[in-house]
């Protein structure tokens, strides 16, 4: 726990114009500052930063508060997260108190691991930008894929050298204990590097701290998988992290939508072309925790997967979970053999967005379309399909939304709506028993 005295120090140090200024462009007006409100849509600024009073206030939507409240509201930070953000900004060392000895050890341990992950991130970036091997192999790969320097920097991409222990050697020399390096999966039990001869993707937590890595192999190999990932650790729980969320969070809020894709490079390609509200579930099926993370920023999710059977299955799996969180889901499948990366290269950002707009279907239509193909003219399979769709509808907590979908379902399948209502009620009863 952060010591109350430290919290006080942070609150005293926080200048509202600095904190808000990190996210909103402010202009001086008299003693105060003025900008466009980040909490509501406006064309003429009514968002006031009162420098003497050290608070913000919007005369348009009424939102107001101090620096911590701004961060909590605007960045969806928790109170301690906001305090830490400000402490970082002003170089204030936070004192931890009141935690039990065990908690203290654990927190200290976590901090150590985070420090090592940050160190590793820097190492892989240096290998990419500063070594001949990194430039020749890693950088040429990223350039070949069309990634610009700004994208490579923004996502903190890196390179791990062919040398067996290039990272291990350096890290140990810099005093990082071997067991910690192993715990993060950065070195193996023989003391050698886990990531070798791969381009590196840094995986960040929601505050932008590196917590894990994914390494992509560049030469096709029978024995090595295309991607390897850091194992789970105290700072990295796969199910609670979304690749690119840290970089995308403001765009998600602004667009009020979050596009979920499958791969790291899909996120990079889309973000680079200006579609920034994109995250990847990176190899795993979507989890409830990931959906909850997104829910902090928007209620709307667009699932964008490859049009192959595996992609369709993955999309259907993610679906019910999003519905349970009372979020709105749209699904888009890409044409032919495209993935988002290749598609955006071919069609450009505008073509891409218009494709999304034209082809996004809500989940009923999606399920019906994809599944009805194989239940055509087969009444038994059609009944099963309807049941399947009703199952999904039953996951929606909001009754009004539920009945809207029911009506749509009735029209789509050309069935009496009351019949569907009865069936759905039975399902709901079963769940509640
Ligand atoms: Zn406002």
């Amino acid at each position: 726990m952060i010591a109350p005295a430290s919290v006080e120090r942070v609150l005293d140090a926080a200048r509202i114009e600095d904190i808000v200024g990190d996210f909103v462009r402010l202009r001086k007006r008299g003693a105060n500052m003025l900008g466009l409100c980040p909490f509501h849509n406006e064309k003429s600024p009514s968002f006031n930063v009162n420098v003497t009073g050290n608070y913000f206030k919007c005369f348009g939507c009424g939102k107001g508060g101090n620096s911590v409240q701004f961060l909590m509201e605007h960045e969806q930070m928790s109170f301690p997260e906001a305090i830490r953000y400000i402490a970082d900004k002003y170089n204030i060392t936070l004192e931890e108190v009141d935690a039990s000895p065990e908690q203290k050890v654990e927190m200290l341990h976590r901090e150590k691991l985070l420090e090592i992950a940050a160190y590793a991130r820097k190492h892989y970036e240096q290998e990419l930008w500063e070594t001949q091997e990194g430039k020749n192999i890693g950088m040429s790969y990223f350039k070949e894929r069309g990634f610009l320097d700004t994208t490579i920097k923004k996502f903190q991409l890196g390179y791990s050298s062919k040398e067996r222990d290039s990272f291990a050697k350096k890290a140990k020399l810099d005093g990082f204990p071997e067991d910690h390096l192993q715990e993060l999966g950065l070195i193996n039990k023989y003391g050698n590097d886990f990531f070798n001869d791969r381009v590196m993707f840094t995986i960040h937590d929601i505050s932008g701290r590196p917590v894990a890595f994914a390494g992509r192999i560049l030469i096709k190999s029978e024995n090595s998988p295309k991607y390897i990932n850091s194992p789970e650790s105290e700072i990295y729980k796969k199910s609670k992290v979304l690749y690119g969320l840290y970089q995308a969070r403001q765009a998600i809020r602004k667009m009020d939508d979050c596009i979920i894709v499958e791969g790291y490079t899909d996120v990079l390609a889309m973000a680079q072309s200006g579609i920034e509200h994109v995250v990847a579930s990176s190899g795993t099926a979507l989890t409830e925790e990931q959906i909850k993370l997104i829910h902090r920023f928007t209620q709307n999710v667009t699932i964008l997967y490859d049009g192959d059977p595996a992609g369709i299955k993955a999309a259907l799996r993610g679906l019910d979970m999003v519905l349970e969180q009372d979020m709105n889901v749209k699904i888009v499948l890409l044409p032919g053999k495209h993935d988002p990366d290749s598609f955006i290269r071919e069609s450009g950002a505008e073509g891409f967005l218009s494709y999304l707009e034209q082809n996004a279907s809500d989940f009923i239509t999606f399920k019906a379309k994809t599944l009805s193909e194989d239940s055509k003219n087969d009444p038994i399979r059609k009944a099963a399909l309807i049941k399947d769709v009703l199952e999904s509808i039953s996951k929606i907590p909001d009754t009004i939304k539920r009945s809207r979908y029911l009506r749509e379902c009735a029209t789509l399948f050309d069935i009496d709506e009351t019949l569907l209502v009865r069936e759905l009620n039975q399902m709901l009863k079963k769940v509640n028993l």
Side-chain angles (χ1 to χ4, degrees), residues 71 105 117 126 183 205 210 217 250 264 290 308 416:
L71 290 171
V105 169
Q126 275 170 352
E183 198 176 331
D205 68 7
I217 204 164
Q250 279 175 38
Y264 305 111
Q290 289 171 332
D308 62 2
D416 189 359

PDB file of all heavy atoms in Angstrom, residues 71 105 117 126 183 205 210 217 250 264 290 308 416:
ATOM      1  N   LEU A  71      -7.304  11.690 -14.036  1.00  0.00           N
ATOM      2  CA  LEU A  71      -6.678  10.459 -14.523  1.00  0.00           C
ATOM      3  C   LEU A  71      -7.614   9.260 -14.378  1.00  0.00           C
ATOM      4  O   LEU A  71      -7.688   8.398 -15.244  1.00  0.00           O
ATOM      5  CB  LEU A  71      -5.363  10.194 -13.771  1.00  0.00           C
ATOM      6  CG  LEU A  71      -4.219  11.153 -14.077  1.00  0.00           C
ATOM      7  CD1 LEU A  71      -3.063  10.935 -13.117  1.00  0.00           C
ATOM      8  CD2 LEU A  71      -3.743  10.973 -15.522  1.00  0.00           C
ATOM      9  N   VAL A 105       6.938  -8.305   0.581  1.00  0.00           N
ATOM     10  CA  VAL A 105       7.866  -9.114  -0.203  1.00  0.00           C
ATOM     11  C   VAL A 105       7.328  -9.284  -1.618  1.00  0.00           C
ATOM     12  O   VAL A 105       8.044  -9.152  -2.606  1.00  0.00           O
ATOM     13  CB  VAL A 105       8.072 -10.496   0.465  1.00  0.00           C
ATOM     14  CG1 VAL A 105       8.812 -11.440  -0.467  1.00  0.00           C
ATOM     15  CG2 VAL A 105       8.826 -10.321   1.775  1.00  0.00           C
ATOM     16  N   ALA A 117      11.767  -6.711 -16.850  1.00  0.00           N
ATOM     17  CA  ALA A 117      11.069  -6.709 -18.139  1.00  0.00           C
ATOM     18  C   ALA A 117      11.380  -5.423 -18.904  1.00  0.00           C
ATOM     19  O   ALA A 117      11.573  -5.443 -20.125  1.00  0.00           O
ATOM     20  CB  ALA A 117       9.563  -6.862 -17.922  1.00  0.00           C
ATOM     21  N   GLN A 126      17.685  -2.123 -28.381  1.00  0.00           N
ATOM     22  CA  GLN A 126      19.054  -1.765 -28.754  1.00  0.00           C
ATOM     23  C   GLN A 126      19.617  -2.733 -29.785  1.00  0.00           C
ATOM     24  O   GLN A 126      20.295  -2.326 -30.723  1.00  0.00           O
ATOM     25  CB  GLN A 126      19.948  -1.748 -27.510  1.00  0.00           C
ATOM     26  CG  GLN A 126      19.878  -0.416 -26.795  1.00  0.00           C
ATOM     27  CD  GLN A 126      20.562  -0.444 -25.439  1.00  0.00           C
ATOM     28  OE1 GLN A 126      20.967  -1.505 -24.959  1.00  0.00           O
ATOM     29  NE2 GLN A 126      20.687   0.718 -24.822  1.00  0.00           N
ATOM     30  N   GLU A 183      12.411 -16.721 -14.030  1.00  0.00           N
ATOM     31  CA  GLU A 183      10.998 -16.609 -13.686  1.00  0.00           C
ATOM     32  C   GLU A 183      10.229 -15.895 -14.796  1.00  0.00           C
ATOM     33  O   GLU A 183       9.081 -16.224 -15.081  1.00  0.00           O
ATOM     34  CB  GLU A 183      10.873 -15.834 -12.371  1.00  0.00           C
ATOM     35  CG  GLU A 183       9.542 -16.014 -11.694  1.00  0.00           C
ATOM     36  CD  GLU A 183       9.514 -15.310 -10.342  1.00  0.00           C
ATOM     37  OE1 GLU A 183      10.592 -15.181  -9.717  1.00  0.00           O
ATOM     38  OE2 GLU A 183       8.423 -14.900  -9.944  1.00  0.00           O
ATOM     39  N   ASP A 205       1.420  -3.852 -20.119  1.00  0.00           N
ATOM     40  CA  ASP A 205       0.180  -3.830 -19.337  1.00  0.00           C
ATOM     41  C   ASP A 205      -0.544  -2.521 -19.636  1.00  0.00           C
ATOM     42  O   ASP A 205      -0.088  -1.719 -20.448  1.00  0.00           O
ATOM     43  CB  ASP A 205       0.466  -4.026 -17.835  1.00  0.00           C
ATOM     44  CG  ASP A 205       1.191  -2.858 -17.206  1.00  0.00           C
ATOM     45  OD1 ASP A 205       1.378  -1.819 -17.869  1.00  0.00           O
ATOM     46  OD2 ASP A 205       1.580  -2.983 -16.026  1.00  0.00           O
ATOM     47  N   PRO A 210       6.247  -2.869 -19.835  1.00  0.00           N
ATOM     48  CA  PRO A 210       6.468  -4.170 -20.466  1.00  0.00           C
ATOM     49  C   PRO A 210       6.275  -5.289 -19.439  1.00  0.00           C
ATOM     50  O   PRO A 210       6.774  -5.185 -18.314  1.00  0.00           O
ATOM     51  CB  PRO A 210       7.927  -4.112 -20.913  1.00  0.00           C
ATOM     52  CG  PRO A 210       8.281  -2.670 -20.954  1.00  0.00           C
ATOM     53  CD  PRO A 210       7.446  -2.014 -19.906  1.00  0.00           C
ATOM     54  N   ILE A 217       9.991 -16.058 -35.291  1.00  0.00           N
ATOM     55  CA  ILE A 217      11.136 -16.596 -36.003  1.00  0.00           C
ATOM     56  C   ILE A 217      11.104 -16.080 -37.433  1.00  0.00           C
ATOM     57  O   ILE A 217      10.043 -15.802 -37.982  1.00  0.00           O
ATOM     58  CB  ILE A 217      11.095 -18.135 -35.964  1.00  0.00           C
ATOM     59  CG1 ILE A 217      12.498 -18.703 -36.149  1.00  0.00           C
ATOM     60  CG2 ILE A 217      10.146 -18.692 -37.026  1.00  0.00           C
ATOM     61  CD1 ILE A 217      12.565 -20.157 -35.744  1.00  0.00           C
ATOM     62  N   GLN A 250      -6.726   5.414 -26.008  1.00  0.00           N
ATOM     63  CA  GLN A 250      -7.374   6.705 -26.249  1.00  0.00           C
ATOM     64  C   GLN A 250      -8.200   6.691 -27.528  1.00  0.00           C
ATOM     65  O   GLN A 250      -9.273   7.283 -27.578  1.00  0.00           O
ATOM     66  CB  GLN A 250      -6.321   7.802 -26.272  1.00  0.00           C
ATOM     67  CG  GLN A 250      -5.952   8.196 -24.837  1.00  0.00           C
ATOM     68  CD  GLN A 250      -4.819   9.186 -24.778  1.00  0.00           C
ATOM     69  OE1 GLN A 250      -4.730  10.070 -25.609  1.00  0.00           O
ATOM     70  NE2 GLN A 250      -3.956   9.049 -23.802  1.00  0.00           N
ATOM     71  N   TYR A 264      -0.266  -9.895 -33.806  1.00  0.00           N
ATOM     72  CA  TYR A 264       0.503  -8.695 -33.456  1.00  0.00           C
ATOM     73  C   TYR A 264       0.662  -7.770 -34.664  1.00  0.00           C
ATOM     74  O   TYR A 264       0.441  -6.566 -34.579  1.00  0.00           O
ATOM     75  CB  TYR A 264       1.895  -9.088 -32.962  1.00  0.00           C
ATOM     76  CG  TYR A 264       1.888 -10.056 -31.812  1.00  0.00           C
ATOM     77  CD1 TYR A 264       2.329 -11.358 -31.966  1.00  0.00           C
ATOM     78  CD2 TYR A 264       1.434  -9.655 -30.559  1.00  0.00           C
ATOM     79  CE1 TYR A 264       2.324 -12.254 -30.907  1.00  0.00           C
ATOM     80  CE2 TYR A 264       1.432 -10.536 -29.495  1.00  0.00           C
ATOM     81  CZ  TYR A 264       1.868 -11.837 -29.678  1.00  0.00           C
ATOM     82  OH  TYR A 264       1.858 -12.713 -28.640  1.00  0.00           O
ATOM     83  N   GLN A 290     -10.257 -10.132 -20.489  1.00  0.00           N
ATOM     84  CA  GLN A 290      -9.896  -9.240 -21.585  1.00  0.00           C
ATOM     85  C   GLN A 290     -11.085  -8.376 -21.991  1.00  0.00           C
ATOM     86  O   GLN A 290     -10.944  -7.180 -22.243  1.00  0.00           O
ATOM     87  CB  GLN A 290      -9.403 -10.061 -22.783  1.00  0.00           C
ATOM     88  CG  GLN A 290      -8.046 -10.702 -22.541  1.00  0.00           C
ATOM     89  CD  GLN A 290      -7.663 -11.669 -23.631  1.00  0.00           C
ATOM     90  OE1 GLN A 290      -8.525 -12.266 -24.286  1.00  0.00           O
ATOM     91  NE2 GLN A 290      -6.375 -11.871 -23.821  1.00  0.00           N
ATOM     92  N   ASP A 308     -11.375 -17.824 -42.632  1.00  0.00           N
ATOM     93  CA  ASP A 308     -11.228 -19.286 -42.709  1.00  0.00           C
ATOM     94  C   ASP A 308     -11.983 -19.944 -41.556  1.00  0.00           C
ATOM     95  O   ASP A 308     -12.358 -19.280 -40.600  1.00  0.00           O
ATOM     96  CB  ASP A 308      -9.745 -19.693 -42.706  1.00  0.00           C
ATOM     97  CG  ASP A 308      -9.054 -19.275 -41.418  1.00  0.00           C
ATOM     98  OD1 ASP A 308      -9.727 -18.715 -40.534  1.00  0.00           O
ATOM     99  OD2 ASP A 308      -7.833 -19.487 -41.317  1.00  0.00           O
ATOM    100  N   ASP A 416     -42.618 -17.481 -35.574  1.00  0.00           N
ATOM    101  CA  ASP A 416     -43.457 -16.725 -34.658  1.00  0.00           C
ATOM    102  C   ASP A 416     -42.623 -16.273 -33.449  1.00  0.00           C
ATOM    103  O   ASP A 416     -41.976 -17.074 -32.796  1.00  0.00           O
ATOM    104  CB  ASP A 416     -44.601 -17.646 -34.196  1.00  0.00           C
ATOM    105  CG  ASP A 416     -45.624 -16.844 -33.412  1.00  0.00           C
ATOM    106  OD1 ASP A 416     -45.392 -15.616 -33.240  1.00  0.00           O
ATOM    107  OD2 ASP A 416     -46.623 -17.440 -32.987  1.00  0.00           O
TER     108      ASP A 416
END
